[in-house]
Amino acid sequence: MGRHRSDPMGLARLALAVLAVGGFVTLLVIGARALIGSLDTPDPAGREHVSASGTPSASAQVATVRIECVADVCPLVTVRVPGGDVLQYRDMSRGEEVSYFEPELDVVLSDAGTVRVTENGKPRAQGRPGAREAFTVRGPAG
């Protein structure tokens, strides 16, 4: 009965194959997370145009509605075109802001006390903590 000796080249090939598969799986996971994250982001065409300095550009129009999260988590903020597309249906994080320019929008806030809302450039009264609010915003005529 002979002794079986390991083939060092075979082990090296196996280790290299395992590393390659591990790297491929890691790239797949990163790509999937990026794709899912991009699906949660509103359409850039409906968002506020910001210049390189981080401030709205001079040619940018006033948003029909702007929503800023002022709590650690702002639960379920929904923005949609009446009878049409849902532009946002998700939680927001502290400091996150979204702006939409459509002529008319329906907004539903699960907790109106967690967000700061601006309608056509004018601040909307702050909602009560824990209160659900639903309202329609129309852009300026013209």
Side-chain angles (χ1 to χ4, degrees):
M1 298 207 212
R3 289 173 95 183
H4 178 69
R5 290 180 28 173
S6 306
D7 177 14
M9 289 303 288
L11 289 175
R13 285 187 190 124
L14 180 62
L16 187 59
V18 168
L19 284 173
V21 169
F24 181 73
V25 169
T26 301
L27 288 174
L28 280 177
V29 169
I30 291 170
R33 290 185 71 189
L35 178 61
I36 290 168
S38 71
L39 294 176
D40 286 344
T41 304
D43 182 357
R47 296 198 55 157
E48 182 172 323
H49 300 288
V50 177
S51 68
S53 67
T55 58
S57 61
S59 63
Q61 61 191 120
V62 174
T64 305
V65 70
R66 180 179 164 273
I67 302 169
E68 177 186 2
C69 179
V70 295
D72 288 335
V73 175
C74 299
L76 194 55
V77 175
T78 305
V79 180
R80 66 184 295 256
V81 175
D85 293 337
V86 175
L87 304 176
Q88 176 169 315
Y89 182 79
R90 64 182 175 84
D91 294 351
M92 294 175 66
S93 302
R94 181 180 295 278
E96 184 178 357
E97 300 175 17
V98 291
S99 296
Y100 298 98
F101 297 88
E102 284 71 15
E104 186 174 356
L105 295 163
D106 289 334
V107 178
V108 179
L109 308 170
S110 296
D111 185 346
T114 62
V115 296
R116 187 175 301 135
V117 178
T118 306
E119 297 178 5
N120 299 304
K122 296 180 179 130
R124 179 180 174 87
Q126 183 79 26
R128 290 188 335 261
R132 180 184 182 276
E133 270 189 33
F135 54 93
T136 299
V137 182
R138 288 174 185 80

